Amino acid sequence: MYYQNVSVGQLIKRVSRFTVEIDLNGTVEPVHMNNTGRNKEILIPGSLASVRYVDNPNRKTHYDLLAVQRQGRWINIDSLAPNHVTKECLEAGTLKLPGLALPYAIHPESTWRDSRLDFAGKAADGQSWFVETKGVTLANGTLAAFPDAPTTRAVKHVHTLTMAQAEGYQAFLLFIVQLPDIRQMTIYRDRFPELVTAITTAKQNGVRVLAYDTMTGPDQITLGNEIPFDEHLPFSEINLNSL
């Protein structure tokens, strides 16, 4: 996935939940951030940041924040990117769902019961499936973790996947880690222990949990390799005083 109309500037500060200020060639620009996480280890003043220009006179800001460079790697912070990457790769067959034959018939944004799941479809052998995708931006070294902030919505989605699995669908929870050089993925138990319990139960009932890292840059994010997932691994955040 490649972005158009991209510029690189320097992060000045976070202004509000959805707005940061970026220095673009000496001009301070308000930039929209499409991400609801805390991102405190990413939004460090002085970091390089990439933005996309949006030509829309009805918007309050003319730029979207795409990625921030931290410790030598670009962290994609666009919350829409994981779904775009997933759809692109499912359609191309470069993301293969374990146990399901290619090609897939794909239907984005599908409602089942009282939940809206990111993707529904059928495999070549007729098996129906659901995929719920979660973007991951929190990491410490080579270990990534989800979530960056408590999310009851994620727990609801996991429960829905568990019910769907019990009714004959093949259900997948897919984590797209939006930065490179990640070797393992876990759940941040100290932040939201209910999600650990929900995922463990889902796995015991047949839900498949997959995690992939990505290759990133200021203007791109592409699917990388599948990485091991274990919801019970301990995780601690980066010490900001050491940055």
Side-chain angles (χ1 to χ4, degrees):
M1 174 181 171
Y2 288 85
Y3 298 95
Q4 304 297 319
N5 303 317
V6 175
S7 301
V8 175
Q10 192 172 58
L11 179 67
I12 298 174
K13 63 180 179 179
R14 186 173 193 169
V15 178
S16 65
R17 188 181 183 191
F18 295 109
T19 307
V20 298
E21 286 184 347
I22 304 289
D23 183 338
L24 289 176
N25 299 318
T27 300
V28 177
E29 294 283 355
V31 174
H32 175 68
M33 183 175 66
N34 188 22
N35 191 296
T36 59
R38 300 183 182 189
N39 299 302
K40 63 181 183 179
E41 78 289 348
I42 300 175
L43 301 177
I44 305 297
S47 301
L48 291 179
S50 66
V51 299
R52 172 179 56 187
Y53 178 74
V54 181
D55 186 12
N56 184 344
N58 296 319
R59 282 185 42 152
K60 294 181 179 179
T61 60
H62 295 295
Y63 293 92
D64 289 332
L65 181 64
L66 301 178
V68 178
Q69 190 181 61
R70 295 298 307 139
Q71 298 181 314
R73 57 186 176 183
W74 285 93
I75 303 175
N76 183 284
I77 203 171
D78 175 13
S79 65
L80 300 179
N83 274 24
H84 286 307
V85 169
T86 299
K87 182 175 183 292
E88 183 179 89
C89 294
L90 285 173
E91 290 176 339
T94 53
L95 174 56
K96 189 176 186 307
L97 302 175
L100 299 185
L102 291 166
Y104 306 134
I106 302 166
H107 306 285
E109 296 285 328
S110 294
T111 299
W112 190 78
R113 297 291 181 89
D114 62 345
S115 290
R116 182 179 290 255
L117 297 170
D118 290 322
F119 300 97
K122 281 192 176 182
D125 60 2
Q127 172 65 55
S128 296
W129 53 262
F130 287 114
V131 170
E132 177 62 23
T133 303
K134 301 297 180 186
V136 182
T137 59
L138 182 63
N140 190 340
T142 60
L143 177 63
F146 180 90
D148 181 34
T151 166
T152 56
R153 186 168 178 264
V155 173
K156 180 181 179 181
H157 283 147
V158 173
H159 288 326
T160 300
L161 292 174
T162 304
M163 288 189 293
Q165 183 73 33
E167 294 195 16
Y169 295 87
Q170 181 59 61
F172 298 88
L173 178 61
L174 173 63
F175 291 103
I176 301 294
V177 183
Q178 294 169 254
L179 62 153
D181 303 323
I182 296 297
R183 296 178 184 171
Q184 290 179 299
M185 161 87 202
T186 190
I187 298 300
Y188 193 177
R189 176 184 291 274
D190 290 346
R191 179 140 296 160
F192 205 48
E194 295 91 339
L195 185 57
V196 176
T197 302
I199 288 176
T200 298
T201 300
K203 289 168 63 177
Q204 291 170 346
N205 285 276
V207 176
R208 303 292 294 267
V209 181
L210 308 174
Y212 282 80
D213 74 351
T214 54
M215 295 167 283
T216 59
D219 63 348
Q220 66 163 309
I221 175 171
T222 56
L223 193 70
N225 299 311
E226 185 176 1
I227 56 176
F229 174 86
D230 183 348
E231 70 270 27
H232 300 295
L233 290 176
F235 178 81
S236 59
E237 295 185 67
I238 293 172
N239 182 356
L240 296 180
N241 294 326
S242 66
L243 297 179

